[in-house]
Amino acid sequence: MAVPGDPPNGTPDGTGGGDDDFRSDDFPSDEYRSVVFDEDFVRAARLQEYSAQERMGEHARAVRSRSIWSGGSAPRTSTPGRGARQGMLLVLLIATAFAVAVYMGLRNPYVPPPGGPAQALTSTVVPLAPTTAVPGGLPPELFAESPAADYRVGAAGITLPAVRRTHHFTDVQVVTALSIAKDYLVQSSLDPDVLAGSATRPVRVLLDPDQLAQFDRSMTSPSGDGRHAATGWLVRFDPATAVMADSRVRVSGTLAFEEVAQDVLEVTTDHTFVYAVRPATGAPAAADGASLFTVRRELRLRFDRDDLSARRLELASAYVMAGPQDCSADPAGGFRPLLAGAGPTTVGPAASDPYASGHPRRSAGLCGVLAPSATPGAPVSPAP
């Protein structure tokens, strides 16, 4: 029979039992003998240490995990760091939404949508007939004795006005429009290749894409119909008639700007260009050589915000007077100057009503008189 001090699986072999193995003097009192285990009992005892998970058993977590997406409060387990990642994602979403809101707020809510397609150019080209023989000479002498003696040379004669903002366009946008207008005048009135009729691209690249088809037709099939005159878009000479005798073109004129609509800025140019020309190779030449040819161009250029961003323009209208020319010559494809020594010509048939509304046509016989004493660009009267 086992006693309270025996090991659970009995006494190991070779060991004594009972209390005889204990000396009474090992313990101060007999009352502890029933609870003291000998060395063999301790070695024979089976001990098992449970893990922390096993100690928890089926108990629920003390802290509930709440999902930021479900909005519920049901307890759920989550992997370590999942809450932090979800929080970071939420912060990123909030930051993105804030950035979008700021960007939309900084944009001008009153910027109008882009305008419609560009309108076709309307142009009038009036030849000016001389009333006296065309004087000839060396270019410097001719310029010095002409009203263009004080004109500036080339692009220096195209000066910009004082700039101010308009109701819907900033001063920077106004400056951009004026600089594009100046570029157009330089390329279409001063570029040597354009003047010689051998190039059109420097002018073409500055035009609104909606006007390119009209421009191309004007270059390939010019016509005096008020829409397809090459000389309405640019200045060029008939290469079989005259070439430049001096590259230093004299220029004088003005630019002005005005906001004509909420999304349209208009620039008006009024410039006089004085060229020294001579007969083309093979053409009869006078002993005096060169002569002067005067072209006055009044242009209306329009810009919307897309045009300003792309550095292009819409040429709305052109009114051009050029001479000395024979009224019987068609200037739509290129100017044909009357050169040094040429005498006065018959003015030709007058238009029935040169001041009538609408676009004058070459068939109407519109022609002007080049007054020798008038300054270049001065008003001329229609032929009687």
Side-chain angles (χ1 to χ4, degrees), residues 268-336:
T268 304
T269 75
D270 185 359
H271 288 80
T272 298
F273 302 86
V274 185
Y275 306 87
V277 297
R278 61 177 177 81
T281 304
D288 292 334
S291 60
L292 298 185
F293 188 81
T294 303
V295 178
R296 179 173 177 176
R297 305 182 73 196
E298 299 178 20
L299 310 178
R300 284 194 306 115
L301 315 174
R302 290 188 172 180
F303 304 85
D304 59 24
R305 287 175 174 80
D306 288 340
D307 292 330
L308 296 175
S309 299
R311 291 197 64 83
R312 67 193 185 200
L313 57 88
E314 172 191 342
L315 182 56
S317 68
Y319 187 83
V320 181
M321 296 181 290
Q325 291 187 94
D326 193 328
C327 285
S328 62
D330 184 359
F335 297 125
R336 300 176 182 176

Side-chain angles (χ1 to χ4, degrees), residues 53-73:
Q53 186 69 27
E54 290 173 330
R55 288 196 300 271
M56 288 180 62
E58 299 298 326
H59 294 288
R61 291 170 57 112
V63 179
R64 291 181 298 179
S65 174
R66 302 171 68 98
S67 172
I68 62 174
W69 306 114
S70 64
S73 59

Side-chain angles (χ1 to χ4, degrees), residues 152-160 182 185-186 190 249 251 271 273:
R152 294 183 178 181
V153 177
I158 305 173
T159 57
L160 304 185
K182 179 173 181 176
L185 288 173
V186 170
L190 302 175
V249 182
V251 184
H271 288 80
F273 302 86

Side-chain angles (χ1 to χ4, degrees), residues 178-247:
L178 291 171
S179 65
I180 299 172
K182 179 173 181 176
D183 289 345
Y184 185 82
L185 288 173
V186 170
Q187 299 301 330
S188 64
S189 307
L190 302 175
D191 185 283
D193 293 330
V194 172
L195 296 176
S198 60
T200 59
R201 189 177 184 278
V203 179
R204 191 180 191 273
V205 296
L206 293 174
L207 294 174
D208 189 289
D210 294 331
Q211 291 190 313
L212 294 181
Q214 183 188 10
F215 176 83
D216 292 340
R217 179 179 169 185
S218 301
M219 298 301 110
T220 57
S221 302
S223 172
D225 61 358
R227 290 182 180 272
H228 298 98
T231 47
W233 300 92
L234 47 80
V235 176
R236 75 178 181 185
F237 298 102
D238 179 0
T241 303
V243 295
M244 295 290 293
D246 189 338
S247 61

